[in-house]
Amino acid sequence: MININRAYISKVTLHRVGHQLREEKNIVAQDLMPITEQLDEVLRDYFLNPFKRENSLYHFTHHADLSLNEVYNYCKEVFEDESLFLDASQNILNALYQQSNHPSIKLGELFVVHFGDINYEEQIVEAIGIFKVERKNKFFKFIQHEQGLELELQNGFSVQKIDKGALVLNIDEGGGFKVLSIDNNNYDAAYWKKQFLKIEYINNNNYQTDQYLELCTNFSNSILANDYGKEKQAEFLGNTLRYFAENPMVEDLGFQEEVIGEEKEIVEAFKEYKKDYSEANEVQFWDAFEVSQPVFKQKKKKIKTEIKLDTKIKIILDSNSLEEAAENLEKGFDEKKKMNYYKVYFTQELD
C-alpha cells in the first residue's frame, strides 16, 4: 500500500478522450493545467486516496516484448526526462482513443499527472497517474441576486470517487514497473486494464491470498449453496476465514484437509472447481503461500452470507463467526405446511 502524506502534484494535463465509432474527436491539451494551492490539495486526495486501500499490484506486459507496450514506453520516457511529460500525456490520450471502439465505452475527461514523493514500502518514488472521469452527476448551484437566490441545475463530476485510474510507480522498470489500478465503472472489464494499459497481476503473496479467497467465495456461492445448502456454505466460509486467521502460511492440501475434512464428494468438487477457476481466470495457484494480512482483512469484510427466503425474510450470518452461526441454524421441512423452515438457536437477544 502507498502512503501519500508527503506526495505532491508536479504536473497535470487535462484532455478529453473521444470515441472512434461515434466519430467523437479528442480534445488535446496544448499546455499544462495551472493548479492553485486549494485545487492541488483537492486533486491530490481525489487521485490518490483510492489507491491507499489497494494491495493488488500489476505490471505492464506485452505478448511479444515489453518494449512494445505503448503506455509503458510513455511512462518510461517521463521518468527518464520529465520535460517530455506533455508530449507523453498526449500520446497516452491517443493510445486510449485507439481502444475506445466499443459502443458502451463512454466519453470522458482524461487527467495525466506526475507525482513526487509517494511512499511505497519505505521507498520514496515518483509516479505517473492516468485517470479517466466518465460519470456526470446533477448538482444545484445557488446564485445570489439583489432580489434573492436563484437555483440552477448543472451537470458535473463528483470529487468523491474516480471512475478509472492507474498509478505507475517508478519501481522495477525492467519488470514493467509496479502499477496500481482501479475501475469503478466496470462496464467493459477488458477495456481499461487489458486493452489500454496491457497490465497483468504480479503473482505474489497478495495476489495468491486475494485469488484463493475469491476461489473459496465463488465455490461456496456456486456449488455449496446450491447443492448442499446455506448451512454447509456458512460452515465452509467460517472454516476458511478461521484457517486464514490462524495460519501464517496456506498450504493447499492442508487447507482442504482442515477446512473441508473427509467429505470426499466436496473435496473432489473443490478440486474440480479450482481447476476450472484457474483456467478461466488464468491464475496459477501456488502449493503454499504466505497470507497477506491486509488483503485478508479486506476480503473478509466483503464476505457476506445471506439467506434470502421467498417469504420476504432475510437471515444474515455474521462473517466474523460464520462457523458458530451455522452450528446454531437448523433447516427442516414441515409436512403439515409443506414448506421448508429454518430454526435459529440463541440464548438471548442483543441490542
Side-chain angles (χ1 to χ4, degrees):
M1 290 189 291
I2 65 170
N3 185 306
I4 66 170
N5 290 340
R6 291 173 49 185
Y8 64 91
I9 294 175
S10 168
K11 294 179 176 64
V12 185
T13 54
L14 174 58
H15 312 278
R16 175 171 291 167
V17 58
H19 194 286
Q20 288 195 70
L21 293 183
R22 295 193 292 266
E23 298 184 350
E24 296 166 338
K25 302 299 183 182
N26 292 335
I27 297 178
V28 185
Q30 300 301 319
D31 205 346
L32 300 180
M33 174 181 162
I35 302 181
T36 63
E37 185 176 338
Q38 182 181 17
L39 186 58
D40 177 273
E41 183 178 352
V42 172
L43 286 178
R44 191 198 73 148
D45 291 344
Y46 174 57
F47 291 140
L48 294 180
N49 276 342
F51 295 105
K52 293 195 298 186
R53 298 179 293 276
E54 282 297 315
N55 294 290
S56 296
L57 274 177
Y58 300 82
H59 62 145
F60 289 113
T61 62
H62 193 278
H63 68 275
D65 190 274
L66 177 61
S67 63
L68 299 176
N69 184 307
E70 287 186 86
V71 182
Y72 165 78
N73 278 321
Y74 302 141
C75 292
K76 182 180 175 184
E77 288 176 1
V78 175
F79 289 142
E80 292 174 351
D81 185 352
E82 197 175 322
S83 68
L84 299 175
F85 175 79
L86 179 59
D87 289 341
S89 78
Q90 294 170 345
N91 289 329
I92 289 171
L93 169 69
N94 290 328
L96 182 58
Y97 180 76
Q98 293 304 316
Q99 301 303 327
S100 301
N101 51 20
H102 189 280
S104 64
I105 291 174
K106 297 174 176 60
L107 189 75
E109 273 58 48
L110 182 73
F111 290 93
V112 183
V113 189
H114 183 266
F115 297 98
D117 288 1
I118 288 180
N119 187 328
Y120 176 76
E121 294 185 345
E122 308 306 320
Q123 298 181 70
I124 304 300
V125 299
E126 60 180 323
I128 294 171
I130 306 168
F131 308 94
K132 187 184 178 192
V133 185
E134 298 173 332
R135 290 175 292 189
K136 288 187 176 180
N137 300 304
K138 287 182 169 48
F139 66 91
F140 291 121
K141 182 178 181 180
F142 299 96
I143 304 171
Q144 184 176 353
H145 300 288
E146 291 183 1
Q147 295 80 12
L149 291 173
E150 177 186 341
L151 181 64
E152 186 176 291
L153 184 63
Q154 296 185 348
N155 281 335
F157 297 108
S158 169
V159 296
Q160 301 301 316
K161 193 174 186 180
I162 197 96
D163 290 310
K164 299 181 187 297
L167 189 66
V168 183
L169 304 172
N170 189 10
I171 302 173
D172 190 17
E173 175 189 307
F177 295 119
K178 292 187 185 297
V179 183
L180 297 166
S181 181
I182 54 173
D183 188 350
N184 289 316
N185 197 6
N186 202 5
Y187 52 81
D188 183 355
Y191 160 60
W192 183 252
K193 294 180 182 177
K194 290 188 176 181
Q195 296 169 356
F196 167 53
L197 295 170
K198 295 182 178 61
I199 54 175
E200 293 180 354
Y201 280 109
I202 294 176
N203 201 351
N204 55 15
N205 288 316
N206 285 350
Y207 180 61
Q208 289 289 318
T209 302
D210 177 88
Q211 287 299 300
Y212 207 96
L213 286 168
E214 192 72 18
L215 162 71
C216 292
T217 304
N218 291 349
F219 172 72
S220 74
N221 291 332
S222 300
I223 305 300
L224 294 181
N226 293 327
D227 297 345
Y228 298 90
K230 290 286 186 176
E231 307 101 309
K232 181 58 69 176
Q233 178 194 27
E235 179 185 353
F236 172 80
L237 287 175
N239 288 338
T240 297
L241 295 177
R242 179 173 49 79
Y243 183 91
F244 272 76
E246 295 177 357
N247 294 277
M249 293 286 297
V250 170
E251 297 180 355
D252 189 48
L253 291 178
F255 173 85
Q256 293 179 32
E257 291 174 359
E258 189 169 332
V259 172
I260 303 175
E262 299 180 357
E263 298 181 80
K264 293 183 179 180
E265 186 177 346
I266 298 181
V267 170
E268 291 304 314
F270 180 78
K271 289 180 179 178
E272 186 65 27
Y273 190 87
K274 182 184 174 187
K275 179 183 176 183
D276 293 341
Y277 181 94
S278 179
E279 293 175 354
N281 296 279
E282 299 179 353
V283 180
Q284 184 177 354
F285 286 109
W286 297 346
D287 292 334
F289 59 88
E290 184 178 338
V291 175
S292 167
Q293 288 301 322
V295 174
F296 173 56
K297 289 176 182 177
Q298 278 189 346
K299 299 293 284 189
K300 182 179 178 181
K301 291 177 183 177
K302 295 180 181 179
I303 295 178
K304 295 182 174 65
T305 300
E306 296 181 349
I307 303 175
K308 297 180 181 179
L309 308 177
D310 56 7
T311 50
K312 310 302 180 185
I313 295 173
K314 182 191 298 183
I315 302 174
I316 301 175
L317 306 181
D318 187 350
S319 62
N320 291 313
S321 52
L322 283 174
E323 188 179 10
E324 182 181 353
E327 290 175 354
N328 291 301
L329 196 66
E330 180 182 313
K331 187 176 182 180
F333 184 80
D334 189 300
E335 291 290 348
K336 188 175 181 180
K337 289 189 173 184
K338 300 299 180 184
M339 295 176 69
N340 297 308
Y341 66 82
Y342 278 105
K343 185 185 292 185
V344 179
Y345 294 93
F346 65 98
T347 302
Q348 61 182 350
E349 295 183 9
L350 304 177
D351 294 332

